Each structure stands twice: as C-alpha cells, then as structure tokens.
Amino acid sequence: MSLVGKKFPSITVDAISEMGDNLRINIFEEATKNNKKVLLFWYPKDFTFVCPTELHAFQAALPEFDSRNTVVIGASCDTNEVHFAWLNTAKDNGGIEGVTYPLLADTTRNLSTALGILDAEEEFNEETGDYLITGSNVTYRATYLIDETGKIFHESVNDMPLGRNVNEYLRLIDAYTHVQTKGEVCPANWEQGKEAMTADRLSTAAYLSKN
C-alpha cells in the first residue's frame, strides 16, 4: 500500500556518521524539527556491487540537494560496524570512502518492516510449528522524499539489480517545491525553469496546444 500523502513513520533508528560516530536518527523529526526535506534511500547490502555506485552518485549530487534544503540519508539493515568498515574502504576497491551523509543501520528491521520494503515472507513449517522467513530479508532499493511537515510526497521501489537515477529525485524536489511556492501543477517531463500549469482544463488545453 502506498505511503504517499501520509506522515513518515516516527521510528528512531541507529545510524553512523562519516567519522564513525554512533547516532540515533528519526527521519520524521529530521524533517519537521529542522524544517528540511529529506531524501531517504535504502539499498540491500554493504560491500555489494550496484550499491556503491549509488552511494557515490548521491554524494556527487550532495551540493545540489543542499541547495534545495534537502538532507540525504542512506539506509540498509547492516550494522554500524559494517557501515564504518565500508566507509573506510577505498572507492577503487568497491568501498564508499568519501561519503559524508549518515547511514541508517536498521538491524532491528523495525523501520523497513513498517515501510514494507523487505524482501522477505513468512512460511509456516507444519513439522515444527514455526514460522520461517524466506527471502534475503534485506531491503529493495526504496526511495522516499519527505517534506518539511514529515509527509511523504514521493516513494519508489526498485528490484535489487536496478540502480537509481539521482537526477530524477532532484527534478521531483524541484517540482514539489514549485507546487509549494507557486501553487501550480507540473506537467509531464517538467524541469525547473519550464512552464507549469494551473489546475484547470483551460490551462491543460493551452499547454497541450503549445507542446
């Protein structure tokens, strides 16, 4: 079930900074108390293959997110210790050395379960009477954009092999900010600086006739 339009779950999770400091981060409070947008992106595992390409891509775009009053936070179900080891592994060896935004360590899986993004199912074992988890029990590549009120205005979930396009999240933040500040709606393929529309049929017809 989609969480768009709903408040982000107010769940506090362990996290680590680039310097190895252990943190406790509540995404909802990160947005509301600091009056910032938050981009939270989940990836399956540290020390894997597609994942470091994404973490470095978000790092490269960090100034663009900063200029849009947006905090970037990464997340997986790995521990803070594994995160720190990966942060201290060189880029040319598959590491994420140089990444400066915090990483959530959702080892309890409380937040990822609330979001419904784990690759896991429960099956009942009739012989033992136990419920067993099947699947990897790690997260898909889920991404959430949260506004200054803690409301989710975008969510997307990719399968494990599919890396994200970081520029699309910048475009979505620009579009949402335009709606917030101008009260206009943004048509297909809208980018910052392009024409938007008012929410009525005449505006749509005029836009389509020119495009």
Side-chain angles (χ1 to χ4, degrees):
M1 184 174 66
S2 175
L3 297 177
V4 170
K6 299 179 174 64
K7 298 293 186 182
F8 194 86
S10 184
I11 297 173
T12 302
V13 181
D14 286 339
I16 194 167
S17 73
E18 61 171 316
M19 302 304 294
D21 297 320
N22 290 320
L23 310 172
R24 296 279 287 166
I25 293 179
N26 183 305
I27 297 296
F28 179 81
E29 293 179 358
E30 192 75 20
T32 56
K33 290 187 176 180
N34 297 316
N35 194 36
K36 288 182 177 290
K37 293 181 175 69
V38 177
L39 183 148
L40 173 65
F41 73 97
W42 295 81
Y43 59 92
K45 295 180 182 179
D46 294 2
F47 291 100
T48 51
F49 314 108
V50 175
C51 297
T53 69
E54 292 192 310
L55 272 78
H56 285 296
F58 278 110
Q59 178 65 34
L62 207 56
E64 294 295 331
F65 287 106
D66 287 341
S67 70
R68 291 163 170 81
N69 194 42
T70 301
V71 176
V72 173
I73 298 175
S76 80
C77 298
D78 292 284
T79 65
N80 272 349
E81 291 77 12
V82 175
H83 283 339
F84 190 57
W86 203 25
L87 283 163
N88 283 280
T89 301
K91 185 176 181 179
D92 61 7
N93 197 29
I96 58 167
E97 187 177 35
V99 165
T100 61
Y101 48 82
L103 301 177
L104 298 188
D106 187 30
T107 55
T108 63
R109 290 164 171 74
N110 287 335
L111 182 54
S112 49
T113 297
L115 296 171
I117 57 173
L118 287 167
D119 175 26
E121 293 182 4
E122 282 190 348
E123 289 186 357
F124 183 70
N125 186 319
E126 293 184 357
E127 293 183 4
T128 64
D130 298 318
Y131 283 93
L132 302 177
I133 291 177
T134 62
S136 61
N137 205 26
V138 298
T139 65
Y140 293 105
R141 298 186 192 281
T143 313
Y144 297 88
L145 293 174
I146 301 119
D147 72 12
E148 298 86 348
T149 70
K151 185 181 77 174
I152 299 168
F153 64 92
H154 169 84
E155 65 176 342
S156 59
V157 183
N158 291 5
D159 200 356
M160 309 294 188
L162 306 177
R164 283 162 277 220
N165 184 332
V166 172
N167 288 330
E168 173 63 5
Y169 301 110
L170 293 169
R171 189 192 74 83
L172 288 166
I173 292 167
D174 286 341
Y176 190 77
T177 302
H178 186 90
V179 173
Q180 287 177 307
T181 57
K182 304 293 185 182
E184 296 179 319
V185 295
C186 299
N189 301 321
W190 183 91
E191 294 177 347
Q192 193 171 34
K194 289 189 175 181
E195 179 184 2
M197 306 184 304
T198 55
D200 59 64
R201 291 180 183 275
L202 289 177
S203 181
T204 301
Y207 179 88
L208 291 172
S209 67
K210 291 186 290 184
N211 295 278

